[in-house]
Amino acid sequence: MKAICVDQFGPPEVMKLRQVPDLSAGPGQIVVAVKAAGVNPVDTYIREGWYPIKMNLPYTPGFDAAGVVVQTGQGVTGFQPGDRVFVSGSLTGTYAEQVLCTSEQVFRLPEQISFSQGAALGTPYGTACQALLGRAKAQFGQTVLVHGASGGVGIAAVQLAAAAGLTVFATAGTDKGRRLVRQQGARHVLDHHDAGHFEAVKQLTGGRGVDIILEMLANVNLDGDLDALAPHGTVVVIGSRGRIEIDPRKTMSRDLNILGMSLMNADAKQRAVIYGRIQAGLEAGHLHPVIGQELPLEQAPEAHRQVMEAAHYGKIVLIP
Ligand code: NAP
């Protein structure tokens, strides 16, 4: 089979398409024929070599994929060859024609969800779900600002929050992105590059602020977020690409919470809850990943360049 291989950490070009041996499933494992692989920002951090998760070289990148089960190992129940599935995490990396997973990393993909959409589920929807429901413990009737809503996690968060009965405020950096997030269920849509957007959130909530902020770029926004939160409000830091100075006094005056989260911290029990919720949302028709770009597997370097550029519009996936 063909797979993207990384022999050394570095720029996108270190990813090379190679012929490698087919995979086979050991006890408790599943081999999936990959029809689409999701590209996440974290794949680029790991490839560059600075991220706390260090892969042993050579490795195949990618955490997310969707495809068809080709082989199940001894003791695997609930899956058989031919099943449509999506994958969140794997033993071998998803930028390949096949991926080897433990049975806990594989989930059924409803018929109405395409393979490309399935490849957009694992990390983005898992993260949005854990941030909104696991960490912020969002409740029906609350308000949430999805700060950076036009990318993979943001669109997932808008859809999940709208489905859970929250009033959604969302930001994007382009007109196209703002139209997209409104279509996904955001009631109020703002531009995160506009310095006045924190004040606009306050005004749109009658001066109160929002109950929850899901923050995709905390190193830019965290101090402003503290102004836009309602009393007892919570900001969940999902993404951050540097340092920021904040005024801690703002948290005291209104009993604010600043929470961090990483999907990688979710244990097996939490993952079962997260992906159970996502499957229920898919089956109910509330969740429908948006695919901005499908690229052939060999264009993984181009996909890594694009995922780190501005002007997001949904998810980038690779097609083997
Ligand atoms: P993505 O698809 O690349 O989208 C990035 C988003 O950030 C876009 O909506 C972009 O909007 C927005 N953005 C750009 N400038 C912004 C600003 N000044 N303020 C607010 N948002 C801004 O990435 P993703 O997959 O959604 O992930 C988002 C972030 O979360 C990344 O940093 C990623 O590494 C991180 N993440 C963390 C976890 C975790 O477990 N904690 C899991 C997944 C992802 P425009 O392009 O429209 O400007």
Side-chain angles (χ1 to χ4, degrees), residues 41 45 123 127 147-154 172-174 192-193 215-217 220-221 238-239 241 261-263 307 310-312:
Y45 316 153
T123 301
T127 300
H147 213 170
S150 50
V153 179
T174 62
H192 44 235
H193 301 308
E215 182 53 64
M216 305 302 155
L217 202 57
V220 173
N221 295 320
I238 295 175
R241 293 181 178 168
M261 71 81 55
S262 169
L263 183 62
V307 79
H312 286 81

